[in-house]
Amino acid sequence: MVTNNLVQISKDGEVAVITVNNPPVNALSLGLPEGIAEAIESIAADNQVKTAVLIGAGKTFVAGADIKEFGKITSGERRGSELVQLLLKMEDCRKPLVAAIHGTAFGGGLELAMAAHYRVANPGAQVGQPEVKLGIIPGAGGTQRLPRLAGVAKAVEMCAEGNPVKASDALQFGILDRLIEGDLRAGAIEFAHEIAAKPALKTRERNEKLGTPEQNAPIFAAARQNACHKQRGMVAPLAAIDAVEAATLMRFEQGCEFERNRFIECLFSEQSKALIHVFFGEREVAKIPDVAKETPVLPLAAAAVIGAGTMGGGIAMVFANAGIPVLLKEVDRAALDRGLANIRKNYANSVSKGRLTQQFVDERLNLIQPTLSFDGFSAVDMVVEAVFEGMELKKQVFAELDRVCKPGAILASNTSTLNIDEIASSTSRPEFVIGTHFFSPANVMRLLEIVRGRASSKEVIATCMQLSKKLGKVGVLVGNCMGFVGNRMFGPYRREAQFLVEEGAGVEAVDKALFDFGMAMGPLATGDLAGLDVGRRIRKEYHQQDPNVRQPFAEDKLCELGRFGQKTGAGWYKYDEQRRAEPDPAVPVLLREWSEKAGIPQRTISSDEIVERCIYALVNEGARILEQGYALRATDIDIIFLYGYGFPAYRGGPMWHADRVGLKKVYHRVSEFHRQFGALWEPAPLLEQLAVHGRTFSDFQTGRGVAA
Ligand code: T1G
């Protein structure tokens, strides 16, 4: 029996089975709630049916509302309350309904399951209210029903933080009634027989876990504090907490209305538009126009890393964490021992913070095999080189790797600045050479820039893109230009931060303005963390000092004083033993002296100017990169900045942010800065062109793919 093409009913004796089938993730697209409603009506009217199971076809239960249809609600085309009505109808059904969950019951999917009278799940299933990650809150009673099942503390955590919960935990919290090993459908039907004679309990009437105001007050206070800290600047987590609080203070219907109002408010917000862009963007970056989905990937069962420094050690951990055995090679025993000690220390930290178990760590450490020779390299499928940044050294390493590695092994470089094609030229297999630019700390940062050389083969690209997923990273394909995409843009951003302090803005004022904008860290504090000498080395090596173009000098001068940042206890700030930053009164004095000597007039600079100069410097360079085809889409640039540079996700990334500000305004400001500050601010032709035609970065397509 079929209600519509998305929902089918079948029968197993007295148990009806309602199957939802809307691949790939059974999202609640238009027609699906309506189909389930019809199914409920039909089983209510069917005298043979005593009880029903609601289950998902394919790889998952319902993963939530259809995010692509949100625009229909904001445009007024749909009210979007069909689901709310359906859930009441389900609860009111006299015949007990059992939701049978596999895969993910997320958002509207969990809300749907909570409106059933019972819930069973496979042990591998997960449940969650991830809406805050899209800048919204649950919109179909999730904040009202979840505290009634799981209690206030758990519900507020799930709704405000948005993280998934494993089935075994969900059972313990009371969200699930039973775990079913083996065949879910059969187990759910058996469960349905068992409860057929029991009353159909309505979740909305189960008030016993809602607690008292005295019990709840500290829970909400702690949740708000946590949200302000961990989800700084985001509106939705606080709205979600308010809505769960409403569940404890109001009747169910009123609570739902409260939730609905906050949901709509959030749905219309800029933050939610940005976060939805990020959700789809994260998936879009995996799509490479000239590398078809069907492109065969190469086997990747064993890897090697050259260099056990901070980056190399971190990369070895990333492979081990993904269960891939990895050789870790150094040139001498002392360096290898230092590298291994760092790896052990990093793992021990994670164990002490409760993030990993000792058993997991022991297993991973066993996968990392330290070595001083190339023995065993002939058996690996991929090598990542992470030696010191220097072209000659890298070429030597690659020539050696070409000799020792088997044909077909991928030779990747973790270089952050060097030309991949030149590195590849030292091998006989440039088509197997590629850049895999990890970000520090490699075992933490989610970004992986995959740098396409002129000869990199499609199979190698497809393999690295797939590998990034396996390693828990977001891989973004970029072209082979100086600094690739992220660092090429980050340069002008940090350059402006230096110019600003040289013109009279305070060090803390610059960092605070960008921190308040939402950046994880201010640009000057970031310099101290990375080491000011790193930037100086790159500047020295690559920048042709054109005397007509202004160059920042402050960081070079700090370096001359031995102030390299955190590692030397002083840079832009001074640091104590625990590397806690403190403003250093010596710095403004030095800056004034240096600026005076350089003839730079000092003035008061607003936080708006600080933000515009730093962020529009990013955007202007991003526009050049996009036009030149070194990034496939504006979205790719956005994702790079979110996962590699601490750009706030709720602003969608630099290019999305510029689109929302309006490219006319951005172009106007960039042109003003050009007049005021000279050549470095020359507007990118693409920015000008899009601004003049009223277009956006989002709708710009290069049509050329990534330049090799
Ligand atoms: N709506 C529309 N499309 C979706 C979708 C959704 N909810 N979830 C996934 N997709 C698409 C995705 O874009 C991709 O498309 C394909 O499905 C496979 O996804 C009323 C308001 C379920 C864990 O936030 O977390 O319910 O790229 O590559 O790694 O209160 O997708 O192939 O064209 O991610 O196996 C709440 C979001 C919505 C869940 C599967 N739900 N999805 O991961 O595959 S708001 C969510 C996920 C809501 C209610 C509120 C993951 C996944 P394409 P994928 P995956």
Side-chain angles (χ1 to χ4, degrees), residues 24-25 27-28 59 63-68 70 83 104 106-109 111 129-131 134 136-140 263 279-280 283 287 469:
V25 296
L28 292 155
K59 66 173 187 177
D66 187 335
I67 304 167
K68 292 198 182 87
F70 285 171
L83 188 58
T104 46
F106 279 177
E111 289 171 310
Q129 298 284 175
E131 287 88 343
L134 300 170
I136 54 175
I137 69 168
F263 164 75
F279 175 82
F280 288 115
R283 285 149 183 86
K287 294 168 189 151
K469 250 196 160 176

